[in-house]
Coordinates of all heavy atoms in Angstrom, one line a residue:
M1 N 0.9 -1.2 0.0 CA 0.0 0.0 0.0 C 0.9 1.2 0.0 O 1.8 1.3 0.7 CB -0.9 0.0 1.2 CG -1.9 1.1 1.2 SD -2.6 1.3 2.9 CE -1.3 2.0 3.8
S2 N 0.6 2.2 -0.9 CA 1.4 3.4 -0.9 C 0.8 4.5 0.0 O -0.3 4.5 0.4 CB 1.4 3.9 -2.4 OG 0.1 4.2 -2.8
T3 N 1.7 5.3 0.4 CA 1.4 6.5 1.2 C 1.6 7.7 0.4 O 2.4 7.8 -0.5 CB 2.2 6.5 2.5 OG1 3.6 6.6 2.1 CG2 2.0 5.3 3.4
P4 N 0.8 8.8 0.7 CA 0.9 10.0 -0.1 C 2.3 10.7 0.0 O 3.0 10.6 1.0 CB -0.1 10.9 0.5 CG -1.1 10.0 1.2 CD -0.2 8.9 1.7
V5 N 2.6 11.3 -1.1 CA 3.8 12.2 -1.2 C 3.6 13.5 -0.3 O 4.5 13.9 0.4 CB 4.2 12.5 -2.6 CG1 5.4 13.5 -2.7 CG2 4.5 11.3 -3.4
A6 N 2.3 14.0 -0.5 CA 2.0 15.2 0.2 C 0.5 15.3 0.5 O -0.3 14.8 -0.3 CB 2.5 16.4 -0.6
V7 N 0.1 15.9 1.5 CA -1.3 16.2 1.8 C -1.4 17.7 2.1 O -0.7 18.3 2.9 CB -1.8 15.5 3.0 CG1 -3.2 15.9 3.4 CG2 -1.7 13.9 2.8
R8 N -2.2 18.4 1.3 CA -2.3 19.9 1.5 C -3.8 20.2 1.8 O -4.7 19.8 1.0 CB -1.9 20.6 0.2 CG -0.5 20.3 -0.2 CD -0.1 21.1 -1.5 NE 1.0 20.4 -2.2 CZ 2.2 20.4 -1.8 NH1 2.6 21.1 -0.7 NH2 3.2 19.8 -2.5
N9 N -4.0 20.9 2.9 CA -5.3 21.2 3.3 C -5.5 22.7 3.2 O -4.7 23.5 3.6 CB -5.6 20.8 4.7 CG -7.0 21.1 5.2 OD1 -7.9 20.9 4.5 ND2 -7.1 21.8 6.3
S10 N -6.6 23.1 2.5 CA -7.0 24.5 2.5 C -8.4 24.7 3.1 O -9.4 24.3 2.5 CB -7.0 25.0 1.1 OG -7.6 26.3 1.0
S11 N -8.5 25.3 4.3 CA -9.8 25.6 4.9 C -10.4 26.7 4.1 O -11.7 26.9 4.2 CB -9.6 25.8 6.4 OG -8.7 26.8 6.6
H12 N -9.6 27.5 3.5 CA -10.2 28.6 2.7 C -11.1 28.1 1.5 O -12.2 28.5 1.4 CB -9.1 29.6 2.2 CG -9.6 30.7 1.4 ND1 -10.3 31.8 2.0 CD2 -9.6 31.0 0.1 CE1 -10.6 32.7 1.1 NE2 -10.2 32.3 0.0
S13 N -10.5 27.2 0.7 CA -11.2 26.7 -0.4 C -12.1 25.5 0.0 O -12.9 25.1 -0.8 CB -10.2 26.3 -1.5 OG -9.4 25.3 -1.1
G14 N -11.8 24.9 1.2 CA -12.6 23.7 1.6 C -12.2 22.5 0.8 O -13.0 21.6 0.7
L15 N -10.9 22.4 0.4 CA -10.4 21.3 -0.4 C -9.2 20.7 0.3 O -8.3 21.4 0.8 CB -10.1 21.7 -1.8 CG -11.2 22.3 -2.7 CD1 -10.6 22.8 -4.0 CD2 -12.2 21.2 -2.9
L16 N -9.2 19.4 0.2 CA -8.0 18.6 0.7 C -7.4 18.0 -0.6 O -8.0 17.2 -1.3 CB -8.3 17.6 1.7 CG -7.2 16.8 2.3 CD1 -6.5 17.6 3.4 CD2 -7.6 15.4 2.8
K17 N -6.1 18.3 -0.8 CA -5.4 17.7 -2.0 C -4.4 16.6 -1.5 O -3.6 16.9 -0.6 CB -4.7 18.7 -2.8 CG -5.6 19.7 -3.4 CD -4.9 20.7 -4.3 CE -5.8 21.7 -4.9 NZ -5.1 22.7 -5.8
V18 N -4.5 15.4 -2.1 CA -3.6 14.3 -1.7 C -2.8 14.0 -2.9 O -3.4 13.6 -4.0 CB -4.4 13.1 -1.2 CG1 -3.5 12.0 -0.7 CG2 -5.4 13.5 -0.1
E19 N -1.5 14.1 -2.8 CA -0.6 13.7 -3.9 C 0.0 12.3 -3.7 O 0.6 12.1 -2.6 CB 0.5 14.7 -4.1 CG 0.0 16.2 -4.4 CD 1.1 17.2 -4.5 OE1 2.3 16.7 -4.8 OE2 0.9 18.3 -4.2
W20 N -0.2 11.4 -4.7 CA 0.3 10.1 -4.5 C 1.5 9.9 -5.4 O 1.7 10.6 -6.4 CB -0.8 9.1 -5.0 CG -2.1 9.2 -4.2 CD1 -3.2 9.9 -4.4 CD2 -2.3 8.5 -2.9 NE1 -4.1 9.7 -3.4 CE2 -3.6 8.8 -2.5 CE3 -1.5 7.6 -2.2 CZ2 -4.1 8.3 -1.3 CZ3 -2.1 7.1 -1.0 CH2 -3.4 7.5 -0.6
P21 N 2.3 8.8 -5.0 CA 3.5 8.5 -5.8 C 3.0 8.2 -7.2 O 1.9 7.5 -7.4 CB 4.0 7.2 -5.2 CG 3.6 7.3 -3.7 CD 2.2 8.0 -3.8
G22 N 3.7 8.6 -8.2 CA 3.3 8.4 -9.6 C 2.5 9.5 -10.2 O 2.2 9.5 -11.4
G23 N 2.2 10.5 -9.4 CA 1.6 11.8 -9.9 C 0.1 12.0 -9.8 O -0.4 13.0 -10.1
R24 N -0.6 10.9 -9.3 CA -2.0 11.1 -9.1 C -2.3 12.2 -8.0 O -1.6 12.1 -6.9 CB -2.7 9.8 -8.7 CG -4.2 9.9 -8.5 CD -4.8 8.7 -7.9 NE -6.2 8.8 -7.7 CZ -6.9 8.1 -6.8 NH1 -6.3 7.2 -6.1 NH2 -8.2 8.3 -6.7
V25 N -3.1 13.1 -8.3 CA -3.5 14.1 -7.3 C -5.0 14.0 -7.1 O -5.8 14.2 -8.0 CB -3.2 15.5 -7.7 CG1 -3.6 16.6 -6.7 CG2 -1.7 15.7 -7.9
Q26 N -5.4 13.7 -5.8 CA -6.8 13.7 -5.5 C -7.3 15.0 -4.9 O -6.5 15.5 -4.1 CB -7.0 12.6 -4.4 CG -7.6 11.3 -4.8 CD -7.8 10.4 -3.6 OE1 -6.9 10.2 -2.8 NE2 -8.9 9.8 -3.5
V27 N -8.4 15.5 -5.3 CA -9.0 16.7 -4.7 C -10.3 16.3 -4.1 O -11.2 15.9 -4.8 CB -9.2 17.8 -5.7 CG1 -9.7 19.0 -5.1 CG2 -7.8 18.1 -6.4
L28 N -10.4 16.4 -2.8 CA -11.6 16.0 -2.0 C -12.1 17.2 -1.3 O -11.3 18.0 -0.7 CB -11.2 14.9 -1.0 CG -10.6 13.6 -1.6 CD1 -9.9 12.8 -0.6 CD2 -11.7 12.8 -2.3
T29 N -13.4 17.3 -1.3 CA -14.0 18.5 -0.5 C -14.1 18.1 1.0 O -14.3 16.9 1.3 CB -15.4 18.8 -1.0 OG1 -16.3 17.8 -0.7 CG2 -15.4 19.0 -2.6
H30 N -14.1 19.1 1.8 CA -14.2 18.8 3.2 C -15.5 18.2 3.6 O -15.6 17.3 4.4 CB -14.0 20.1 4.0 CG -12.6 20.7 3.9 ND1 -12.1 21.8 4.5 CD2 -11.5 20.2 3.2 CE1 -10.8 22.0 4.3 NE2 -10.4 21.0 3.5
G31 N -16.6 18.6 2.9 CA -17.9 18.1 3.2 C -18.0 16.6 2.8 O -18.6 15.8 3.6
Q32 N -17.3 16.3 1.7 CA -17.3 14.9 1.3 C -16.5 14.0 2.3 O -17.0 12.9 2.6 CB -16.5 14.9 -0.1 CG -16.3 13.5 -0.7 CD -15.4 13.7 -2.0 OE1 -14.8 14.7 -2.3 NE2 -15.4 12.6 -2.8
L33 N -15.4 14.5 2.8 CA -14.7 13.8 3.8 C -15.4 13.6 5.1 O -15.4 12.5 5.7 CB -13.3 14.4 4.0 CG -12.3 14.2 2.9 CD1 -11.3 15.3 2.9 CD2 -11.6 12.9 3.1
R34 N -16.1 14.7 5.5 CA -16.9 14.6 6.7 C -18.0 13.5 6.6 O -18.3 12.7 7.5 CB -17.5 15.9 7.0 CG -18.3 16.0 8.3 CD -17.4 15.7 9.5 NE -18.2 15.7 10.8 CZ -18.8 14.6 11.3 NH1 -18.7 13.4 10.6 NH2 -19.4 14.6 12.4
A35 N -18.6 13.5 5.4 CA -19.7 12.6 5.1 C -19.2 11.1 5.1 O -20.0 10.2 5.3 CB -20.4 12.9 3.8
R36 N -17.9 10.9 4.8 CA -17.4 9.6 4.7 C -16.5 9.2 5.9 O -15.7 8.3 5.8 CB -16.6 9.5 3.4 CG -17.4 9.7 2.1 CD -18.3 8.5 1.8 NE -17.6 7.3 1.5 CZ -17.1 6.9 0.4 NH1 -17.3 7.7 -0.7 NH2 -16.5 5.8 0.2
C37 N -16.6 10.0 7.0 CA -15.8 9.7 8.1 C -15.9 8.2 8.5 O -17.0 7.7 8.7 CB -16.3 10.6 9.3 SG -15.3 10.2 10.8
P38 N -14.8 7.5 8.7 CA -14.8 6.1 8.9 C -14.9 5.7 10.4 O -14.8 4.5 10.7 CB -13.4 5.6 8.3 CG -12.5 6.8 8.5 CD -13.4 8.0 8.5
C39 N -15.1 6.6 11.3 CA -15.1 6.2 12.7 C -16.4 5.5 13.0 O -17.4 5.5 12.3 CB -15.0 7.5 13.6 SG -16.5 8.4 13.9
S40 N -16.4 4.7 14.1 CA -17.5 3.8 14.4 C -18.8 4.6 14.6 O -19.9 4.2 14.1 CB -17.2 3.0 15.6 OG -16.9 3.9 16.7
H41 N -18.7 5.8 15.2 CA -19.9 6.6 15.4 C -20.6 7.0 14.0 O -21.8 6.9 13.9 CB -19.5 7.9 16.2 CG -20.7 8.8 16.4 ND1 -21.6 8.7 17.4 CD2 -21.0 9.9 15.7 CE1 -22.5 9.6 17.3 NE2 -22.2 10.4 16.3
C42 N -19.7 7.5 13.1 CA -20.3 8.0 11.8 C -20.7 6.8 11.0 O -21.7 6.9 10.2 CB -19.2 8.8 11.1 SG -18.9 10.4 11.9
R43 N -20.0 5.7 11.0 CA -20.4 4.5 10.3 C -21.8 4.1 10.7 O -22.7 3.7 9.9 CB -19.4 3.4 10.4 CG -18.2 3.5 9.5 CD -17.6 2.2 9.2 NE -17.4 1.4 10.4 CZ -16.3 1.2 11.2 NH1 -15.3 1.9 10.8 NH2 -16.3 0.5 12.2
A44 N -22.0 4.1 12.0 CA -23.3 3.7 12.6 C -24.4 4.6 12.2 O -25.5 4.2 11.8 CB -23.2 3.6 14.1
A45 N -24.1 5.9 12.1 CA -25.1 6.9 11.7 C -25.5 6.7 10.3 O -26.6 6.9 9.9 CB -24.5 8.4 11.9
R46 N -24.5 6.4 9.4 CA -24.8 6.2 8.0 C -25.7 5.0 7.8 O -26.5 4.9 7.0 CB -23.5 6.1 7.2 CG -22.8 7.4 7.0 CD -21.8 7.3 5.8 NE -20.7 6.4 6.1 CZ -19.6 6.8 6.8 NH1 -19.5 8.0 7.3 NH2 -18.6 5.9 6.9
L47 N -25.4 3.9 8.6 CA -26.2 2.7 8.5 C -27.7 3.0 8.9 O -28.6 2.4 8.4 CB -25.6 1.6 9.5 CG -24.4 0.9 9.0 CD1 -23.9 0.0 10.0 CD2 -24.7 0.2 7.7
R48 N -27.9 4.0 9.7 CA -29.2 4.4 10.1 C -29.8 5.5 9.1 O -30.8 6.0 9.4 CB -29.3 5.0 11.5 CG -29.0 3.9 12.6 CD -29.4 4.4 14.0 NE -28.6 5.6 14.4 CZ -27.4 5.6 15.0 NH1 -26.9 4.4 15.4 NH2 -26.8 6.7 15.3
G49 N -29.0 5.7 8.0 CA -29.5 6.6 7.0 C -29.4 8.1 7.4 O -30.1 8.9 6.8
R50 N -28.4 8.4 8.3 CA -28.3 9.8 8.7 C -27.2 10.6 8.1 O -26.6 11.4 8.7 CB -28.2 9.8 10.2 CG -29.5 9.4 10.9 CD -29.4 9.6 12.4 NE -28.9 10.8 12.8 CZ -27.9 11.0 13.7 NH1 -27.3 9.9 14.2 NH2 -27.4 12.1 14.0
I51 N -26.8 10.2 6.8 CA -25.7 11.0 6.2 C -26.1 12.4 5.9 O -25.3 13.3 5.7 CB -25.3 10.3 4.9 CG1 -26.5 10.1 4.0 CG2 -24.6 9.0 5.1 CD1 -26.1 9.6 2.6
D52 N -27.4 12.7 5.9 CA -27.9 14.1 5.7 C -27.5 15.0 6.8 O -27.7 16.2 6.6 CB -29.4 14.0 5.4 CG -30.1 13.4 6.6 OD1 -29.8 12.3 7.0 OD2 -31.0 14.1 7.2
V53 N -27.1 14.5 7.9 CA -26.8 15.5 9.0 C -25.5 16.2 8.8 O -25.2 17.2 9.5 CB -26.6 14.7 10.4 CG1 -28.0 14.0 10.7 CG2 -25.5 13.7 10.4
V54 N -24.8 15.9 7.7 CA -23.5 16.6 7.5 C -23.7 17.9 6.8 O -24.4 18.0 5.8 CB -22.6 15.7 6.5 CG1 -21.3 16.5 6.2 CG2 -22.2 14.5 7.3
N55 N -23.2 19.0 7.4 CA -23.3 20.3 6.9 C -22.2 20.5 5.8 O -21.0 20.3 6.1 CB -23.1 21.3 8.0 CG -23.2 22.7 7.6 OD1 -23.1 23.0 6.4 ND2 -23.3 23.6 8.5
P56 N -22.6 20.8 4.6 CA -21.6 21.0 3.5 C -20.6 22.1 3.8 O -19.6 22.2 3.1 CB -22.4 21.2 2.3 CG -23.7 21.7 2.8 CD -24.0 21.0 4.1
E57 N -21.0 23.0 4.7 CA -20.1 24.1 5.0 C -19.0 23.7 6.0 O -18.1 24.5 6.4 CB -20.9 25.3 5.6 CG -21.9 25.8 4.6 CD -21.2 26.3 3.4 OE1 -20.2 27.1 3.5 OE2 -21.7 26.0 2.3
V58 N -19.0 22.5 6.5 CA -18.0 22.0 7.5 C -16.7 22.1 6.9 O -16.5 21.9 5.7 CB -18.3 20.6 8.0 CG1 -18.0 19.6 6.9 CG2 -17.6 20.3 9.3
R59 N -15.7 22.5 7.7 CA -14.3 22.6 7.2 C -13.4 21.8 8.1 O -13.6 21.5 9.2 CB -13.9 24.1 7.4 CG -14.5 25.0 6.3 CD -14.0 24.7 4.9 NE -14.7 25.5 3.9 CZ -15.7 25.1 3.2 NH1 -16.3 24.0 3.5 NH2 -16.3 25.9 2.3
I60 N -12.3 21.4 7.4 CA -11.2 20.6 8.1 C -10.3 21.7 8.7 O -9.8 22.6 8.0 CB -10.4 19.7 7.1 CG1 -11.3 18.6 6.7 CG2 -9.2 19.2 7.8 CD1 -10.7 17.8 5.5
T61 N -10.1 21.6 10.0 CA -9.3 22.6 10.7 C -7.8 22.1 10.9 O -6.9 22.9 11.1 CB -9.9 23.0 12.0 OG1 -10.0 21.8 12.8 CG2 -11.2 23.7 11.8
Q62 N -7.7 20.7 10.9 CA -6.4 20.2 11.1 C -6.3 18.8 10.6 O -7.3 18.0 10.6 CB -6.1 20.1 12.7 CG -4.7 19.8 13.0 CD -4.5 19.7 14.6 OE1 -5.5 19.9 15.3 NE2 -3.3 19.3 15.0
V63 N -5.1 18.4 10.0 CA -4.9 17.0 9.6 C -3.6 16.5 10.3 O -2.7 17.3 10.4 CB -4.8 16.9 8.1 CG1 -6.1 17.1 7.4 CG2 -3.8 17.8 7.5
V64 N -3.7 15.3 10.8 CA -2.5 14.8 11.5 C -2.2 13.4 10.9 O -3.0 12.5 10.8 CB -2.9 14.5 13.0 CG1 -1.7 14.0 13.8 CG2 -3.4 15.8 13.6
D65 N -0.9 13.3 10.4 CA -0.4 12.1 9.8 C -0.2 11.1 11.0 O 0.6 11.3 11.8 CB 0.9 12.3 9.1 CG 1.4 11.1 8.3 OD1 0.9 10.0 8.6 OD2 2.2 11.3 7.4
Q66 N -1.0 10.0 10.9 CA -0.9 8.9 11.9 C -0.1 7.7 11.4 O -0.2 6.7 12.1 CB -2.3 8.5 12.4 CG -3.1 9.6 13.0 CD -2.7 9.9 14.5 OE1 -1.7 9.3 15.0 NE2 -3.3 10.8 15.1
G67 N 0.6 7.9 10.3 CA 1.4 6.8 9.8 C 0.6 5.9 8.9 O 0.9 5.9 7.7
Y68 N -0.4 5.2 9.4 CA -1.2 4.4 8.5 C -2.4 5.1 7.9 O -3.1 4.5 7.0 CB -1.7 3.2 9.3 CG -2.8 3.5 10.4 CD1 -4.1 3.4 10.1 CD2 -2.4 4.0 11.6 CE1 -5.1 3.7 11.0 CE2 -3.4 4.3 12.6 CZ -4.7 4.1 12.3 OH -5.7 4.5 13.2
G69 N -2.5 6.3 8.2 CA -3.6 7.1 7.7 C -3.7 8.5 8.2 O -2.7 8.9 8.9
L70 N -4.7 9.2 7.9 CA -4.8 10.6 8.2 C -6.0 10.9 9.2 O -7.1 10.5 9.0 CB -5.1 11.4 6.9 CG -4.9 12.9 7.0 CD1 -3.4 13.2 7.1 CD2 -5.4 13.5 5.7
Q71 N -5.6 11.5 10.4 CA -6.6 11.9 11.3 C -7.1 13.3 10.9 O -6.2 14.2 10.6 CB -6.1 11.9 12.8 CG -7.1 12.4 13.8 CD -6.6 12.6 15.2 OE1 -5.4 12.5 15.4 NE2 -7.5 12.9 16.1
V72 N -8.4 13.5 10.9 CA -8.9 14.7 10.4 C -9.8 15.3 11.4 O -10.6 14.7 12.0 CB -9.8 14.4 9.1 CG1 -10.4 15.8 8.6 CG2 -8.9 13.8 8.0
V73 N -9.5 16.6 11.7 CA -10.3 17.4 12.7 C -11.1 18.4 12.0 O -10.7 19.1 11.1 CB -9.3 18.1 13.7 CG1 -10.1 18.9 14.7 CG2 -8.3 17.2 14.3
F74 N -12.4 18.3 12.3 CA -13.4 19.2 11.5 C -13.9 20.3 12.4 O -13.8 20.3 13.6 CB -14.6 18.3 11.2 CG -14.3 17.3 10.1 CD1 -14.1 16.0 10.4 CD2 -14.3 17.6 8.7 CE1 -13.8 15.0 9.5 CE2 -14.1 16.7 7.8 CZ -13.8 15.4 8.1
S75 N -14.4 21.3 11.7 CA -14.8 22.6 12.4 C -16.1 22.3 13.3 O -16.4 23.2 14.1 CB -15.1 23.7 11.4 OG -16.1 23.3 10.4
D76 N -16.7 21.2 13.1 CA -17.9 20.9 14.0 C -17.4 20.2 15.2 O -18.2 19.7 16.0 CB -18.9 20.1 13.2 CG -18.4 18.7 12.7 OD1 -17.2 18.4 13.0 OD2 -19.1 18.0 12.1
G77 N -16.1 20.1 15.4 CA -15.5 19.5 16.6 C -15.2 18.0 16.5 O -14.7 17.5 17.5
H78 N -15.6 17.4 15.4 CA -15.4 16.0 15.3 C -14.0 15.7 14.9 O -13.5 16.2 13.9 CB -16.4 15.4 14.2 CG -16.4 13.9 14.2 ND1 -16.9 13.2 15.3 CD2 -16.1 13.0 13.3 CE1 -16.9 11.9 15.0 NE2 -16.4 11.8 13.8
D79 N -13.3 14.8 15.7 CA -11.9 14.5 15.5 C -11.6 13.0 15.6 O -10.5 12.6 15.8 CB -11.0 15.3 16.4 CG -11.2 15.0 17.9 OD1 -12.1 14.1 18.2 OD2 -10.5 15.6 18.7
R80 N -12.6 12.2 15.6 CA -12.4 10.8 15.9 C -12.1 10.0 14.6 O -11.7 8.8 14.7 CB -13.7 10.2 16.5 CG -13.9 10.7 17.9 CD -15.2 10.2 18.5 NE -15.3 8.7 18.5 CZ -16.4 8.0 18.8 NH1 -17.5 8.7 18.9 NH2 -16.3 6.7 18.8
G81 N -12.2 10.6 13.4 CA -12.0 9.8 12.2 C -10.5 9.7 11.8 O -9.9 10.8 11.7
I82 N -10.1 8.5 11.7 CA -8.7 8.3 11.1 C -9.0 7.5 9.8 O -9.5 6.4 9.8 CB -7.8 7.6 12.0 CG1 -7.6 8.4 13.3 CG2 -6.5 7.3 11.3 CD1 -6.7 7.7 14.3
Y83 N -8.6 8.2 8.7 CA -8.8 7.7 7.3 C -7.6 6.9 6.9 O -6.6 7.5 6.5 CB -9.1 8.9 6.4 CG -10.3 9.7 6.7 CD1 -10.4 10.4 7.9 CD2 -11.3 9.8 5.8 CE1 -11.5 11.1 8.2 CE2 -12.5 10.6 6.1 CZ -12.6 11.2 7.3 OH -13.6 12.0 7.6
P84 N -7.7 5.6 6.8 CA -6.5 4.8 6.3 C -6.2 5.2 4.9 O -7.1 5.6 4.1 CB -7.0 3.4 6.4 CG -8.1 3.4 7.4 CD -8.8 4.7 7.2
W85 N -4.9 5.2 4.5 CA -4.5 5.6 3.2 C -5.3 4.9 2.1 O -5.7 5.6 1.1 CB -3.0 5.5 3.0 CG -2.2 6.3 3.9 CD1 -1.2 5.9 4.7 CD2 -2.3 7.7 4.2 NE1 -0.7 6.9 5.5 CE2 -1.3 8.1 5.1 CE3 -3.1 8.7 3.7 CZ2 -1.2 9.4 5.6 CZ3 -3.0 10.0 4.1 CH2 -2.0 10.3 5.1
A86 N -5.5 3.6 2.2 CA -6.2 2.9 1.2 C -7.7 3.4 1.1 O -8.3 3.4 0.0 CB -6.2 1.4 1.5
Y87 N -8.3 3.8 2.2 CA -9.6 4.3 2.2 C -9.6 5.7 1.5 O -10.5 6.0 0.7 CB -10.1 4.4 3.6 CG -11.5 4.9 3.8 CD1 -12.6 4.0 3.6 CD2 -11.8 6.2 4.2 CE1 -13.9 4.5 3.7 CE2 -13.1 6.6 4.4 CZ -14.2 5.8 4.1 OH -15.5 6.2 4.3
V88 N -8.7 6.5 1.8 CA -8.6 7.8 1.2 C -8.4 7.6 -0.4 O -9.1 8.3 -1.2 CB -7.3 8.6 1.7 CG1 -7.1 9.9 0.9 CG2 -7.5 8.9 3.2
A89 N -7.6 6.7 -0.8 CA -7.3 6.5 -2.2 C -8.6 6.1 -2.9 O -8.8 6.4 -4.1 CB -6.2 5.4 -2.4
G90 N -9.5 5.4 -2.2 CA -10.8 5.0 -2.8 C -11.9 6.0 -2.9 O -12.9 5.8 -3.4
L91 N -11.6 7.2 -2.3 CA -12.7 8.2 -2.2 C -12.6 9.1 -3.5 O -11.5 9.3 -4.0 CB -12.5 9.2 -1.0 CG -12.6 8.6 0.4 CD1 -12.2 9.6 1.4 CD2 -14.0 8.1 0.6
G92 N -13.7 9.5 -4.0 CA -13.7 10.4 -5.1 C -12.9 10.0 -6.3 O -12.0 10.7 -6.7
Ligands
ZN101 ZN1 -16.7 10.2 12.5

């Protein structure tokens, strides 16, 4: 499994850019990432059909490289999601 060359977050534009080895650049919106949060709480909410609770204006305020993936802190206070790199690669 590959890990990104770089991760660039812009809370101004609301976009997270992930650069992979080989030149692929992923551009993900903060709202999209919030809606796909892989933590147990959010997965359970999605199973109950509550994906609509995500505010598209939500912003990522901090990203933390956890080695096997990216911990993402959102402006709504949610910080429990750690997105494994393979999961990130499969988004968008
Ligand atoms: Zn979550």
Side-chain angles (χ1 to χ4, degrees):
M1 187 194 70
S2 61
T3 57
V5 176
V7 175
R8 301 181 205 287
N9 181 49
S10 170
S11 49
H12 181 71
S13 62
L15 297 173
L16 184 81
K17 294 185 182 179
V18 184
E19 299 178 25
W20 296 96
R24 180 189 179 204
V25 178
Q26 255 182 314
V27 180
L28 302 162
T29 70
H30 290 181
Q32 177 184 14
L33 283 156
R34 182 66 183 86
R36 299 287 297 275
C37 178
C39 83
S40 56
H41 176 84
C42 292
R43 282 204 313 261
R46 286 198 295 275
L47 284 174
R48 291 194 300 269
R50 290 183 49 230
I51 52 172
D52 56 303
V53 298
V54 173
N55 181 345
E57 298 301 313
V58 72
R59 288 291 177 265
I60 293 170
T61 58
Q62 192 183 356
V63 290
V64 183
D65 188 338
Q66 296 286 1
Y68 69 96
L70 196 67
Q71 181 186 5
V72 180
V73 180
F74 291 96
S75 58
D76 62 2
H78 192 62
D79 63 358
R80 292 175 60 192
I82 299 178
Y83 298 61
W85 296 126
Y87 183 76
V88 173
L91 296 172

